[in-house]
Each structure stands twice: as structure tokens, then as C-alpha cells.
């Protein structure tokens, strides 16, 4: 069986370092708000290129905390609107509605699956306070036009960087910056299946806004900046010391592993030859995509998935139901976003991982090329 993502094999590469890191935390006997979290926060800040990283419990909380902090700072209030791609994982939307803000849905670009920046301005209203830019599948979603629009309307740009740790955006002068350091703040996820994955749930907020970071840090710790003194009605959303220690180990290898993912994706792009398959559109710069997900599209998606499973190739669907069609959002079930809905009906994710063997990649390509509807 060719696994979609073999986490056991991925983590086995660094087993000795991971076990040593865990042992050091256990021996020290300090498990929350300790030195290992501080060390990882500084390492990740240096990696991303921001002034502040605030570790938290997961990627959803990271986005929730950013929006909540803006509310506490008086920049947003309940009922304000956040422009967001209709084509995203539901966590992006949950962070907005959990703060009693309103998502202003915008269709994606069918070529990139990311937010269609040319449609943004028509979504702006007097209630709009932010744009949520999602780097879906690991592809950087950014442009100078996005920056100009945010400046024109005084909007915050919040990145959902859950899937793109390590990706770059290249500016017109060829200067590059990593995702997570492009907007005003970013939510990062270290869910085990991510390119930089913990061995449990973890996340972080990255920002160069010191005031925002201070409020986020307090909110994540019961709303407290001083023990037993609660300035805000906060959350309990903290990364533990063991996960921070694990992430410090794995961060060292992230760029290398992302490059292996790109090589696999490049092989898929060059060798899948089946007229029923729509391949992703290449990025101008290879480092603008960390290939967290390699998503193809076909009108025969379910048949292709069953066919590949019969050939011992595991695939996944990211994602089968768009957020506006989920039962939990009945108030938006009537909305029609044809491009988003087409993507969710046709998309299929192929195996990509730094431990995938080339013969497994070749077998996957061979099977896809032989597929007939």
C-alpha cells in the first residue's frame, strides 16, 4: 500500500532526536510555559522572519486569537466582516464566526485554488475590517494588488498559514519573504500531518506587531499577563513543552523536506499524461509552494479514487464539502459559489511526503495514466 502520508516513517527519521528531546523535558519536570516553548518561539520567528511568535494549542486557535485580539484592541467589533475565500478548510471560517464576525465569501481562482484577488474589491463594504488570505495546499496567496487594496480601505491582512510553513512570496524586485510574515498577523498549524508537524496538536501566531502579540499571548493564557490577574476573558490555548521540543527538532529539516515534496510534485506535473486529469497550475517560483497537498481534478473523481485504492494507492479529498454547504452553517447553505463547488466535487489529493519512494511515485503516475472512465 502506498500511503498518502506515512507519519510513522517520517518521524522515524528523527526518532533518536525526538526521544532525547522528550526525555530532557521529562527530566526537567516543567511542562507548560517553560524554556522549550520560548526557544521554539524564537526559532520559528527567525525562520519566518517576524518579531514575535506566540505558541498556542492549534492552528484554529491561532486564527481565533488574532481576531479576538483585534476586537480587544478596538480594531474590530462583533458584526464586522472578514473577506475570506469560499474555498478553504472550515477552520478558517470557524475562527471568524467564533468571534461573532461575518465571513464575506469570495470565489477562488480556478488556476490556483487560492483567493481570487481580482474579486476582492467588490466584496468590500463599510463593515469590512480584514482579509483572510489562505495559502491553500501550501501555495503562497499574495500580490502587491492585495497589499494596495488593504491599504486603500485600511484593512488588516491575516494569513491562514496552516498549510504553507516555509513557502516564499517573491516581490517584483525579487525580494522574497516567507508566508506567515506577509500580512499583519498569521495563524500557523503544527498538526501532525502538516509539513512541520508536532506529535500532537500545536499552533502559533506570528506577527511583527508587538502590541497584538502581547494581547494574543494574554488571551491564550486565560486572559492573563500576570498570574491570577485576568485582564481579558481569555482561553486556555497553550503549546506544551514536549511539543515545542519536538518542533525544534523538526524545524531544522523543514526546508529540506519541502524541497523533496517539490521534486515529487514536479515529477507528477511532468509525467501524468491523462486527458481526464487537470493538473495544478505551476507557480512562477518553485519556492512559492511547499506542496503540502498535490491536488489534481477530474470529473471522474470518485471513480478514480476507487481505482487507485484498488491499486493500493491511498488518496484523500481536500475537501469534499465546502464550508458554506456544511450543516453547521445552514444560514449560508443557499449561497452559490460555482467555482468553489466545482473544486470540491472534482479535487483529489495524491500522495506527497518526504519519505515517499520514487518507485511509489512512478507507480502512482503509471496507474493514473492507465485510468479510463
Amino acid at each position: 500500500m502506498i500511503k498518502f502520508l506515512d507519519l510513522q516513517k517520517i518521524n522515524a527519521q528523527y526518532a533518536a532526536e525526538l526521544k532525547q528531546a522528550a526525555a530532557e523535558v521529562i527530566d526537567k519536570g516543567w511542562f507548560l510555559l517553560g524554556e522549550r516553548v520560548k526557544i521554539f518561539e524564537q526559532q520559528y520567528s527567525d525562520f519566518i522572519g517576524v518579531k514575535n511568535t506566540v505558541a498556542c494549542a492549534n492552528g484554529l486557535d491561532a486564527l481565533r486569537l488574532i481576531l479576538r485580539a483585534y476586537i480587544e484592541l478596538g480594531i474590530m467589533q462583533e458584526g464586522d466582516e472578514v473577506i475570506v475565500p469560499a474555498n478553504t478548510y472550515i477552520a478558517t471560517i470557524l475562527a471568524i464566526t467564533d468571534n461573532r464576525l461575518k465571513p464575506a465569501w469570495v470565489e477562488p481562482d480556478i488556476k490556483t485554488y487560492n483567493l481570487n484577488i481580482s474579486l476582492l474589491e467588490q466584496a468590500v463594504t463599510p463593515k469590512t475590517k480584514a482579509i483572510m488570505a489562505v495559502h491553500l495546499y501550501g501555495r503562497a496567496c499574495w500580490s502587491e494588488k492585495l497589499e494596495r487594496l488593504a491599504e486603500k480601505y485600511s484593512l488588516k491582512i491575516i494569513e491562514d498559514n496552516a498549510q504553507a510553513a516555509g513557502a516564499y512570496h517573491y516581490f517584483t524586485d525579487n525580494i522574497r519573504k516567507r508566508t506567515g510574515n506577509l500580512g499583519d498577523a498569521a495563524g500557523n498549524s503544527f498538526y501532525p500531518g502538516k509539513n512541520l508537524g508536532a506529535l500532537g496538536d500545536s499552533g502559533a501566531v506570528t506577527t511583527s506587531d508587538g502590541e497584538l502579540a502581547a494581547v494574543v499571548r494574554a488571551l491564550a493564557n486565560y486572559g492573563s499577563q500576570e498570574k491570577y490577574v485576568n485582564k481579558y476573558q481569555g482561553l486556555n490555548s497553550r503549546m506544551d513543552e514536549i511539543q515545542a521540543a519536538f518542533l525544534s527538532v523538526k524545524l531544522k529539516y523543514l526546508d529540506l523536506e519541502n524541497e523533496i515534496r517539490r521534486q515529487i510534485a514536479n515529477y507528477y506535473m511532468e509525467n501524468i499524461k491523462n486527458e481526464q486529469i487537470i493538473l495544478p497550475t505551476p507557480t512562477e517560483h518553485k519556492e512559492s509552494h511547499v506542496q503540502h497537498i498535490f491536488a489534481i481534478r477530474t470529473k471522474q473523481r470518485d471513480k478514480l479514487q476507487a481505482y487507485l485504492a484498488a491499486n493500493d494507492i491511498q488518496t484523500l479529498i481536500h475537501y469534499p464539502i465546502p464550508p458554506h454547504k456544511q450543516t453547521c452553517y445552514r444560514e449560508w447553505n443557499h449561497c452559490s459559489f460555482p467555482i468553489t463547488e466545482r473544486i470540491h466535487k472534482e479535487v483529489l489529493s495524491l500522495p506527497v511526503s518526504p519519505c515517499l519512494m520514487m518507485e511509489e511515485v512512478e507507480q502512482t503516475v503509471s496507474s493514473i495514466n492507465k485510468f479510463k472512465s
Side-chain angles (χ1 to χ4, degrees):
M1 167 66 76
I2 299 174
K3 292 185 178 182
F4 177 78
L5 184 66
D6 193 335
L7 290 179
Q8 188 174 17
K9 193 173 182 181
I10 289 171
N11 290 316
Q13 301 173 101
Y14 318 121
E17 289 182 80
L18 294 170
K19 290 174 182 177
Q20 180 181 348
E24 289 173 359
V25 173
I26 293 167
D27 290 345
K28 190 165 186 178
W30 193 285
F31 304 109
L32 285 170
L33 302 177
E35 289 301 315
R36 296 310 296 252
V37 169
K38 291 179 183 177
I39 290 169
F40 173 71
E41 287 179 338
Q42 187 59 57
Q43 290 171 335
Y44 198 64
S45 290
D46 293 342
F47 178 80
I48 295 290
V50 293
K51 294 179 180 178
N52 306 282
T53 293
V54 182
C56 63
N58 54 69
L60 170 56
D61 276 3
L63 293 174
R64 291 169 68 204
L65 287 162
I66 293 167
L67 292 169
R68 175 68 181 282
Y70 279 134
I71 291 172
E72 296 290 352
L73 288 167
I75 294 168
M76 299 180 190
Q77 61 182 0
E78 291 185 11
D80 282 343
E81 297 173 358
V82 178
I83 294 174
V84 66
N87 179 48
T88 186
Y89 182 54
I90 198 168
T92 316
I93 312 300
L94 289 169
I96 297 169
T97 58
D98 185 64
N99 281 288
R100 300 186 184 277
L101 301 168
K102 183 180 178 181
W105 315 84
V106 171
E107 284 271 53
D109 183 332
I110 191 65
K111 294 180 180 179
T112 67
Y113 308 138
N114 274 334
L115 193 64
N116 189 334
I117 293 170
S118 68
L119 301 178
L120 287 181
E121 190 159 18
Q122 65 191 49
V124 176
T125 76
K127 299 281 281 182
T128 307
K129 292 296 188 293
I131 300 168
M132 189 83 78
V134 182
H135 307 303
L136 195 66
Y137 301 154
R139 182 180 187 133
C141 174
W142 201 260
S143 76
E144 284 75 359
K145 182 178 179 180
L146 172 62
E147 293 183 8
R148 290 194 299 270
L149 186 73
E151 184 177 358
K152 178 179 178 180
Y153 293 102
S154 299
L155 305 178
K156 297 295 184 183
I157 306 179
I158 301 164
E159 299 171 73
D160 183 338
N161 196 39
Q163 300 184 3
Y168 284 100
H169 171 71
Y170 282 77
F171 293 85
T172 51
D173 53 7
N174 215 35
I175 292 174
R176 65 180 190 174
K177 290 174 69 176
R178 294 209 195 248
T179 58
N181 182 28
L182 298 172
D184 295 283
N188 301 262
S189 171
F190 308 121
Y191 176 78
K194 296 298 195 294
N195 292 28
L196 178 59
L199 275 66
D201 267 328
S202 284
V205 172
T206 51
T207 181
S208 289
D209 183 336
E211 184 180 23
L212 178 71
V215 177
V216 167
R217 191 175 296 280
L219 285 169
N221 187 35
Y222 297 99
S224 175
Q225 293 172 321
E226 179 184 349
K227 195 169 185 178
Y228 303 132
V229 179
N230 300 81
K231 186 174 182 179
Y232 310 106
Q233 296 179 29
L235 310 174
N236 175 15
S237 182
R238 300 175 296 193
M239 180 187 293
D240 65 64
E241 289 284 285
I242 285 183
Q243 295 307 328
F246 290 154
L247 288 166
S248 289
V249 170
K250 298 184 73 175
L251 181 60
K252 295 183 294 184
Y253 305 102
L254 179 58
D255 280 337
L256 173 62
E257 292 196 346
N258 283 344
E259 183 56 33
I260 295 170
R261 287 173 174 272
R262 292 187 189 105
Q263 292 170 6
I264 293 168
N266 188 58
Y267 188 88
Y268 282 147
M269 293 289 287
E270 292 181 351
N271 293 281
I272 292 176
K273 309 290 183 183
N274 187 319
E275 62 183 13
Q276 298 179 79
I277 305 300
I278 300 171
L279 294 169
T281 304
T283 57
E284 182 179 355
H285 298 278
K286 69 172 186 175
E287 291 179 322
S288 296
H289 203 320
V290 295
Q291 302 296 339
H292 174 61
I293 298 294
F294 187 89
I296 61 173
R297 285 177 29 238
T298 175
K299 292 181 179 178
Q300 304 293 325
R301 192 263 307 282
D302 293 344
K303 185 177 287 187
L304 175 60
Q305 185 175 41
Y307 162 81
L308 291 174
N311 283 274
D312 290 328
I313 300 168
Q314 185 182 40
T315 59
L316 294 178
I317 299 170
H318 295 89
Y319 301 95
I321 305 172
H324 70 281
K325 294 296 184 183
Q326 295 284 358
T327 303
C328 64
Y329 287 129
R330 292 182 184 87
E331 65 268 41
W332 290 299
N333 284 176
H334 69 282
C335 294
S336 175
F337 298 108
I339 296 174
T340 293
E341 289 157 25
R342 187 196 319 170
I343 291 168
H344 286 251
K345 287 178 182 176
E346 297 179 353
V347 76
L348 186 68
S349 303
L350 302 184
V352 176
S353 97
C355 288
L356 202 62
M357 304 296 291
M358 186 49 65
E359 52 263 37
E360 294 176 316
V361 179
E362 292 170 352
Q363 182 182 334
T364 300
V365 169
S366 176
S367 294
I368 291 172
N369 288 344
K370 294 174 183 176
F371 173 71
K372 297 178 181 179
S373 60

